[in-house]
Amino acid sequence: MEAMRPVPRTLLRDRAYEAIRDAIVAGEIEPGAVVRDAELAERLGLSRAPVREAFARLVDEGLLESKPQSYTKVTPVVAADVRDAAAVVGAMHELVTRAAVPRLFAADVEAMRAANERFVTAVRAGHVDFALRADDQLHDVLVRVSGNRAAAATAARYTPLIRRLERRRFSEGSNCRSADLHDRLIEACAAGDVDEAVRVTAEIWRGLAELADSD
């Protein structure tokens, strides 16, 4: 039997980061809650080192705030931060949409349609996690086809700040994002209409910025 290899440290750090980020976005760890590396390390079955590294990354990304030798806690949902994040993420999605539309195959467009159907079903059923996952899957088609890893990384960094507000609005009865806008985006992609696809993408993310302004 081949000897087992140690799990790389970077993977442990990433595992801790993803688990804590997702718990914050989902509201399982609420805004203002103090987080402790020892406690979370025990819950995740990890040592404290990768959790501390995850904390540093989450502080950098705006989901945690830290005062040395005092506390680390979850940041509040601040409208200005969400608005800024939506502007950045929207710009990245406009960029990837412009690059991706001329490269899309029929199978890519069908994947977007299927994701939007899942989105609609989830919204009607009130399943926020499924709705947001389907929304990500729809837009991820364009991100993947564009091949722009820098834009993908930038969008991934700031999207969690937006998701926290989206989740809260969803629980208050909001429809999250409009399936109609998704339909328009998909039709523009199917027609190879780059300019229209970019316009609709801008409208989607402008709506999220306005959501922050109304909070």
Side-chain angles (χ1 to χ4, degrees):
M1 179 182 295
E2 185 178 349
M4 292 181 64
R5 298 177 181 177
V7 177
R9 181 182 181 83
T10 54
L11 295 183
L12 294 177
R13 177 194 64 203
D14 292 345
R15 176 184 163 194
Y17 163 78
E18 291 169 3
I20 299 167
R21 178 203 63 195
D22 290 350
I24 292 171
V25 171
E28 295 169 11
I29 306 177
E30 298 181 349
V34 173
V35 293
R36 297 176 176 82
D37 55 6
E39 178 182 333
L40 288 179
E42 183 176 358
R43 288 172 58 184
L44 294 171
L46 299 171
S47 67
R48 294 170 68 175
V51 172
R52 288 172 179 167
E53 292 176 26
F55 278 7
R57 184 173 172 183
L58 290 162
V59 167
D60 186 52
E61 295 181 0
L63 290 175
L64 292 179
E65 58 185 348
S66 182
K67 183 177 180 180
Q69 309 302 319
S70 183
Y71 63 78
T72 300
K73 63 183 179 180
V74 178
T75 57
V77 178
V78 178
D81 293 342
V82 176
R83 185 170 57 249
D84 291 346
V88 171
V89 175
M92 294 302 99
H93 278 282
E94 289 178 48
L95 182 65
V96 301
T97 297
R98 188 172 295 281
V101 170
R103 306 177 187 175
L104 290 170
F105 290 103
D108 297 317
V109 175
E110 287 308 307
M112 294 174 70
R113 290 191 200 280
N116 199 33
E117 289 174 3
R118 293 192 295 273
F119 175 82
V120 171
T121 299
V123 168
R124 288 174 178 168
H127 293 318
V128 60
D129 289 324
F130 293 151
L132 294 178
R133 188 176 305 126
D135 185 80
D136 283 338
Q137 290 166 347
L138 187 156
H139 292 285
D140 283 349
V141 172
L142 296 170
V143 174
R144 172 180 56 78
V145 173
S146 77
N148 191 326
R149 292 192 293 177
T154 302
R157 173 174 178 170
Y158 292 105
T159 296
L161 288 172
I162 306 167
R163 287 295 192 230
R164 288 203 294 172
L165 180 58
E166 281 188 287
R167 289 184 63 89
R168 190 166 77 193
R169 284 308 178 88
F170 192 104
S171 67
E172 294 169 353
S174 170
N175 278 345
C176 225
R177 297 192 196 164
S178 169
D180 291 339
L181 284 174
H182 288 167
D183 283 334
R184 285 175 51 198
L185 174 60
I186 293 166
E187 292 312 311
C189 289
D193 190 336
V194 175
D195 289 340
E196 175 63 9
V198 172
R199 276 194 295 271
V200 177
T201 298
E203 188 173 348
I204 290 170
W205 292 96
R206 186 166 57 250
L208 286 172
E210 291 169 356
L211 187 69
D213 288 333
S214 65
D215 190 52

